[in-house]
Amino acid sequence: MSTLEIKNLHASVETPEGTKQILKGVDLTIRSGETHAIMGPNGSGKSTLAYSIAGHPKYTITEGEVLLDGEDVLEMSVDERAKAGLFLAMQYPVEVPGVSVSNFLRTAKTALDGEAPKLRTWVKDVKSSMENLRMDPSFAERNVNEGFSGGEKKRHEILQMELLQPKVAILDETDSGLDVDALRIVSEGVNRVKEDTGLGVMLITHYTRILRYIKPDFVHVFVDGRVAEEGGPELAERLEAEGYDRFLASA
């Protein structure tokens, strides 16, 4: 069992107009096997929360704690956070020219485990995961995300998650840009990893359509850099019907 604890987290970013406070006291706890949906309007700080936890240098933590199994995440480098068990699926995955998917995945697995995976078992695992995600085997020899469609990039993110088996995955708008089929396949991948490993999931999204496939245990409404309301799956249904107006008015 693993636990990610976010306590009174504040974060800022430098803009041409000066320092801008984005996160204004976020409290959130995610345990193994739980799925937490983070929903909210544009500009509310959802992606900032994801990147602050992952260690993006653009954001400065000004107050608060992030603990993974009691260890201070904020004192770790980005790669140390990954080795500790954190995984970030980015909204806009970056291209890595000159590095094949197969080399990228095996290098990442070796870095996490401290030793290279046994080749025969590894090849079998990669092939199986790619088949489950409806990825053509030729993708393994292509450069990471180079020339990939939006859906292909998102499937590759889930492929990484399935093979690297983190403790907690932060999925930043994984549903953006996906057609119906790709959304279902990606969602099935998330559910499969969660069932197999007990993964804890922070799922950031604007819309409820992905929640039809990935059922949240908890829903948190994010407004103006903090959690404005919390509830179960029924809260997502209410947001679908009513939108965020009542939260924005109070903010």
Side-chain angles (χ1 to χ4, degrees):
M1 292 289 290
S2 292
T3 303
L4 178 68
E5 297 176 274
I6 303 164
K7 301 180 179 180
N8 192 35
L9 190 66
H10 293 68
S12 63
V13 65
E14 293 300 322
T15 72
E17 292 75 34
T19 302
K20 181 179 180 181
Q21 195 77 24
I22 300 179
L23 301 184
K24 303 174 182 178
V26 178
D27 293 288
L28 186 64
T29 299
I30 299 173
R31 298 177 178 85
S32 293
E34 295 179 348
T35 296
H36 292 250
I38 310 295
M39 304 185 71
N42 283 326
S44 57
K46 303 186 301 299
S47 291
T48 298
L49 175 63
Y51 287 104
S52 295
I53 295 169
H56 196 298
K58 176 181 176 181
Y59 302 101
T60 301
I61 306 300
T62 55
E63 190 176 343
E65 292 181 298
V66 179
L67 305 174
L68 180 60
D69 296 335
E71 297 292 322
D72 187 354
V73 169
L74 302 181
E75 291 297 317
M76 300 178 187
S77 63
V78 173
D79 63 312
E80 287 171 341
R81 298 179 199 208
K83 289 176 182 178
L86 285 177
F87 178 87
L88 171 64
M90 294 180 283
Q91 183 178 0
Y92 303 108
V94 297
E95 297 182 2
V96 188
V99 179
S100 71
V101 168
S102 59
N103 285 339
F104 172 78
L105 291 170
R106 195 158 192 262
T107 300
K109 184 66 171 176
T110 300
L112 287 178
D113 294 350
E115 60 181 4
K118 292 183 172 59
L119 193 56
R120 182 178 298 179
T121 304
W122 176 249
V123 170
K124 181 181 176 182
D125 289 344
V126 173
K127 183 179 178 182
S128 175
S129 294
M130 290 184 74
E131 287 176 353
N132 286 333
L133 290 163
R134 314 292 196 274
M135 297 179 72
D136 190 289
S138 65
F139 272 81
E141 301 313 315
R142 292 176 61 180
N143 291 337
V144 173
N145 291 326
E146 194 171 41
F148 286 23
S149 69
E152 289 164 348
K153 289 180 179 180
K154 297 301 175 71
R155 292 185 205 200
H156 180 223
E157 295 278 284
I158 305 307
L159 175 66
Q160 294 171 48
M161 186 176 75
E162 189 158 8
L163 293 169
L164 301 180
Q165 298 188 347
K167 296 176 181 177
V168 177
I170 302 167
L171 310 181
D172 186 20
E173 300 199 29
T174 296
D175 51 341
S176 65
L178 297 184
D179 61 28
V180 173
D181 290 332
L183 177 64
R184 178 178 52 79
I185 291 166
V186 164
S187 299
E188 287 173 354
V190 175
N191 290 333
R192 186 168 54 249
V193 178
K194 182 182 172 184
E195 184 176 342
D196 290 346
T197 68
L199 178 75
V201 177
M202 179 193 294
L203 177 62
I204 296 171
T205 183
H206 285 293
Y207 309 109
T208 59
R209 66 175 193 151
I210 193 171
L211 304 183
R212 298 169 194 153
Y213 300 97
I214 302 174
K215 302 296 185 183
D217 300 293
F218 306 94
V219 175
H220 310 267
V221 183
F222 217 70
V223 178
D224 194 28
R226 55 172 62 89
V227 176
E229 188 169 331
E230 298 175 303
E234 72 285 345
L235 179 55
E237 295 172 6
R238 185 178 178 187
L239 292 172
E240 178 77 0
E242 301 178 0
Y244 298 107
D245 284 352
R246 66 190 176 94
F247 298 105
L248 295 172
S250 60

